[in-house]
Amino acid sequence: MKIYRLLTEDDTSAFCHKVSLALSKGWELYGDPTYAFDHANGVMRCGQAVTKEIDTPYSPEMKLGEQ
């Protein structure tokens, strides 16, 4: 079973740390990162999709970040 997450964060080192943490837990990058201006908050935001193979059947109640 493959699960999917979209990591997002303001354009700071926090985004890089979030992605690095996911990679250290076995998640793999999926596609290109995104970068867009958040007009409501006046900041640039980054996004990166990640996927991971798991042995557990998918459930909408599962906490994806804990897999």
Side-chain angles (χ1 to χ4, degrees), residues 16-65:
C16 296
H17 289 291
K18 186 181 276 190
V19 173
S20 295
L21 178 61
L23 294 174
S24 75
K25 292 183 174 183
W27 291 83
E28 296 180 1
L29 299 176
Y30 181 82
D32 294 327
T34 61
Y35 193 62
F37 185 68
D38 178 348
H39 291 277
N41 296 304
V43 297
M44 294 301 293
R45 294 205 33 101
C46 302
Q48 175 65 58
V50 292
T51 61
K52 185 176 184 180
E53 291 286 340
I54 60 171
D55 295 326
T56 310
Y58 172 75
S59 165
E61 290 80 33
M62 71 176 26
K63 302 287 185 195
L64 296 176

Side-chain angles (χ1 to χ4, degrees), residues 7-21 46:
L7 306 174
T8 62
E9 185 66 57
D10 290 351
D11 183 21
T12 66
S13 62
F15 174 73
C16 296
H17 289 291
K18 186 181 276 190
V19 173
S20 295
L21 178 61
C46 302

